[in-house]
Amino acid sequence: SRSLGPLRVPQTSTSPQGGGYVRFIGRLCFSSRRLSGSPPRGRVPKTRPSLTTKAYAGGYESELYGKIEVREQGGKLSLRYGIRFVGDVTHWHYDTFRVAFENPVVNEWMVTFNLDDRGRVKTLHAQEAPWAPAYMETTDLGEFSPVR
């Protein structure tokens, strides 16, 4: 059997998805670790975002990945990407935020807002689970430009 965190998966698993089954279980283990409160490393404590939450809200678009919408309501941010990726956005450090999606199987993201010389959002950089274990496949979604 093969150990994937707290779960052991037999190597002789006969799933129609093949390796997809192991990747799914790996993601599930990572998600359960996330929910148990083990935070990723690399956070710079006691920092504040450069802008108000309202200034980060809006639509962002990538030619490759499509649209992301960041919404602000009552001083809190949320992110929507397609129909299945909806989550709460919380400040991480500086202009980087952590996105925890409602679906626990979906990996968390880190989004960084890059500002221009006037202090306006120039791009949103999105990365799926940058702290994920080496056996997981993660995606750097790259830069999304504001839709003005």
Side-chain angles (χ1 to χ4, degrees):
S1 68
R2 178 178 171 169
S3 177
L4 293 173
L7 191 62
R8 297 184 72 75
V9 178
Q11 285 183 324
T12 57
S13 172
T14 55
S15 163
Q17 293 84 14
Y21 176 73
V22 173
R23 279 193 300 277
F24 170 76
I25 296 298
R27 287 179 187 268
L28 187 59
C29 292
F30 177 71
S31 295
S32 67
R33 251 195 324 278
R34 178 189 73 207
L35 296 173
S36 70
S38 59
R41 298 179 191 152
R43 184 177 194 177
V44 179
K46 299 179 184 178
T47 63
R48 294 178 185 261
S50 300
L51 307 173
T52 64
T53 52
K54 206 169 226 173
Y56 295 110
Y60 298 87
E61 190 168 20
S62 160
E63 288 184 18
L64 183 60
Y65 288 106
K67 295 181 181 180
I68 288 178
E69 185 172 346
V70 177
R71 295 181 180 169
E72 187 270 342
Q73 186 174 7
K76 295 186 184 242
L77 293 172
S78 64
L79 182 143
R80 174 180 289 276
Y81 176 63
I83 58 171
R84 296 185 341 179
F85 292 80
V86 177
D88 294 326
V89 178
T90 55
H91 181 249
W92 184 249
H93 64 200
Y94 303 113
D95 291 319
T96 299
F97 294 78
R98 185 176 180 178
V99 183
F101 292 104
E102 294 170 357
N103 182 344
V105 176
V106 176
N107 289 324
E108 292 179 349
W109 287 6
M110 292 298 261
V111 295
T112 300
F113 294 91
N114 300 302
L115 307 181
D116 65 16
D117 294 339
R118 295 182 176 182
R120 296 179 303 178
V121 177
K122 182 171 69 174
T123 60
L124 174 152
H125 182 262
Q127 186 175 6
E128 177 192 23
W131 52 81
Y135 62 81
M136 287 185 56
E137 293 179 23
T138 62
T139 304
D140 185 338
L141 299 167
E143 304 290 323
F144 290 73
S145 299
V147 178
R148 300 194 198 269

